[in-house]
Amino acid sequence: MDTIKAHIESHEYAALVNFCEDLELQLALTPNTNITPEDFYGPFLLGYLLEQDLPSARFLWKRLPDSIKSSSKELRAIWDVGAALWQREYENVYELIGSKTWSPIIAPLMEQLADNLRERMLNLLSEAYSSIVIDDVVKYLGLPREKVLTIVEERGWEIDLSSNTLQPKKTVQEIQQSTSLANFSQLTDLVIHLEKS
């Protein structure tokens, strides 16, 4: 369980998922009574949600034994969040996350999930809309109106309170290109090939 906690603390969610997938296979071969389903399946399921891998999260939920699903209210609540994400009921996602007191291992994952979803929604809204009603943005972000206005103002969005709309500022995403020896080697090979032709 220390490895799971370490991945959570370092925000390495892909590594968390990989570790949990391997551990699930090990537990299938040799059951371990020291590992409780809540300590393992909760972070595992949330790892998939944080990695935006909803199909894998859904398949994990489906393959869980009914005894585990019914015995853990927290695990059920985690899946309720996943199901709301699956249905794109974003307002409900925030409500479900905020309405429960999560265990210490799950709470930071839920907080990160809400933050990631808000960031993703802001990026999507800025790409998809030239103008959007403030109340719609409030629903997509699951935050009070005043907080939403503060966030969008910091991002350079134009606020028109007379028409109750926002004009999102397009986000510019830098494309990072790596220049390594392998790239130069490939380029050299290509030039040599072209000169031979």
Side-chain angles (χ1 to χ4, degrees):
M1 301 319 312
D2 290 338
T3 305
I4 289 175
K5 288 178 184 175
H7 288 310
I8 292 170
E9 289 170 2
S10 62
H11 302 280
E12 296 172 345
Y13 304 119
L16 171 67
V17 167
N18 289 334
F19 175 78
C20 289
E21 287 172 342
D22 292 342
L23 184 59
E24 182 183 31
L25 290 173
Q26 289 175 2
L27 291 175
L29 298 173
T30 54
N32 184 342
T33 56
N34 295 333
I35 299 174
T36 63
E38 294 83 10
D39 290 341
F40 169 65
Y41 285 113
F44 190 9
L45 192 57
L46 273 164
Y48 279 134
L49 297 179
L50 284 161
E51 286 295 302
Q52 300 177 32
D53 190 353
L54 294 178
S56 293
R58 187 169 180 231
F59 290 130
L60 173 60
W61 179 254
K62 285 186 175 223
R63 73 176 173 262
L64 285 176
D66 288 335
S67 60
I68 293 175
K69 289 180 190 178
S70 61
S71 68
S72 174
K73 291 182 181 178
E74 185 171 65
L75 193 58
R76 178 69 213 182
I78 292 169
W79 176 244
D80 289 343
V81 171
L85 282 168
W86 184 270
Q87 297 296 323
R88 294 187 178 105
E89 297 170 352
Y90 303 117
E91 190 174 11
N92 193 24
V93 170
Y94 300 119
E95 186 177 312
L96 289 167
I97 290 173
S99 68
K100 182 162 177 30
T101 303
W102 302 98
S103 66
I105 197 166
I106 297 299
L109 294 171
M110 281 297 181
E111 184 178 320
Q112 187 66 52
L113 181 64
D115 290 346
N116 289 0
L117 182 59
R118 284 187 183 103
E119 187 63 33
R120 200 168 92 231
M121 288 296 111
L122 282 165
N123 289 334
L124 288 172
L125 292 173
S126 69
E127 292 299 316
Y129 290 92
S130 59
S131 178
I132 185 170
V133 177
I134 296 172
D135 293 336
D136 289 344
V137 178
V138 167
K139 289 178 186 175
Y140 282 119
L141 300 184
L143 294 171
R145 180 183 171 100
E146 298 76 30
K147 180 76 173 162
V148 167
L149 292 176
T150 302
I151 289 171
V152 299
E153 186 175 36
E154 289 170 357
R155 290 176 173 257
W157 292 22
E158 292 181 31
I159 302 170
D160 185 354
L161 294 176
S162 64
S163 64
N164 198 35
T165 60
L166 300 169
Q167 288 75 39
K169 181 179 179 184
K170 302 283 184 204
T171 55
V172 178
Q173 295 181 354
E174 294 181 23
I175 300 173
Q176 294 191 4
Q177 296 178 338
S178 64
T179 53
S180 65
L181 291 177
N183 295 84
F184 289 121
S185 176
Q186 288 174 343
L187 181 60
T188 305
D189 292 343
L190 178 63
V191 170
I192 290 170
H193 175 74
L194 290 174
E195 286 181 359
K196 287 180 180 179
S197 301

